[in-house]
Each structure stands twice: as C-alpha cells, then as structure tokens.
Amino acid sequence: MKTILLDENLPVALRHHLADFDVVTVQFQGWSGKQNGELIGLIDGRFDVFITGDKNLRYQQRIETRQIAIIELPFTRLRSLEPYLDQIRAAILNSVAGDYIQVG
C-alpha cells in the first residue's frame, strides 16, 4: 500500500476519498508552515507520494532525483476536486519515485 502525504493547502477531508491508501496530512505530522524544500527533505524516503495544490513546486525542486512522486492537483477545494477523484487515484497507483504528475 502506498503511503501518501497531503499538503497543507489541500482539504483534510480529501483523505477520506483516498481510503484505499495510507494517507496522512502535513498538519497531522506537525509540519505545517514548512517551506517546500524543507518539507520535501522531510518526506523523501518516508512517503511514496506527496499530493499538493502548489503549482510552483515543480519549478522549485528537482524531483527526478527524489524517492517520492509528487502529484499536483488543479484545485484546492474538495468540491472542485471531486470530479477528479478517479484521476487522482490512478495517478497514485501509477506513480513511481521521481514522477511529477499533474492531474486535470
């Protein structure tokens, strides 16, 4: 089972829609407010996938050398994300370390 970390810019309730995976949030880990570089360093090798709504992350970090995959979502509100839930699940299942996947 893949381990997923949801960024703090996403709704916590999204984890209930991803019940097939082991999902925790940045807030639950006590990492709220961490900058992207520091956060990626903390999660690399500890989680399989990092899901974020941050559209700038791909330009700020070298992802291909990391042990995690990053999935960027098009919206940060649950209601707006609901039509994309199947795509999000597929992206998680098909992701491998070093991937940067944009959903939507």
Side-chain angles (χ1 to χ4, degrees), residues 6-100:
L6 290 182
D7 200 354
E8 65 185 319
N9 61 13
L10 296 174
V12 172
L14 178 59
R15 65 187 295 266
H16 301 294
H17 294 277
L18 303 174
D20 295 341
F21 307 99
D22 182 14
V23 182
V24 296
T25 65
V26 166
Q27 297 91 320
F28 179 80
Q29 291 294 116
W31 296 334
S32 295
K34 300 280 185 197
Q35 296 297 313
N36 286 337
E38 183 181 4
L39 184 60
I40 296 297
L42 286 169
I43 66 177
D44 196 28
R46 294 174 83 173
F47 293 89
D48 298 307
V49 179
F50 177 55
I51 303 179
T52 185
D54 185 343
K55 311 247 182 303
N56 294 316
L57 185 65
R58 73 180 309 172
Y59 306 108
Q60 299 169 347
Q61 302 295 317
R62 290 200 48 193
I63 305 306
E64 65 276 0
T65 61
R66 298 293 188 166
Q67 297 175 27
I68 59 167
I70 295 178
I71 298 175
E72 177 191 304
L73 302 184
F75 305 105
T76 57
R77 296 189 60 187
L78 186 57
R79 179 172 284 178
S80 300
L81 291 171
E82 286 174 347
Y84 296 92
L85 290 173
D86 287 339
Q87 289 179 42
I88 295 167
R89 287 185 202 100
I92 292 168
L93 288 171
N94 295 316
S95 66
V96 295
D99 277 353
Y100 190 97

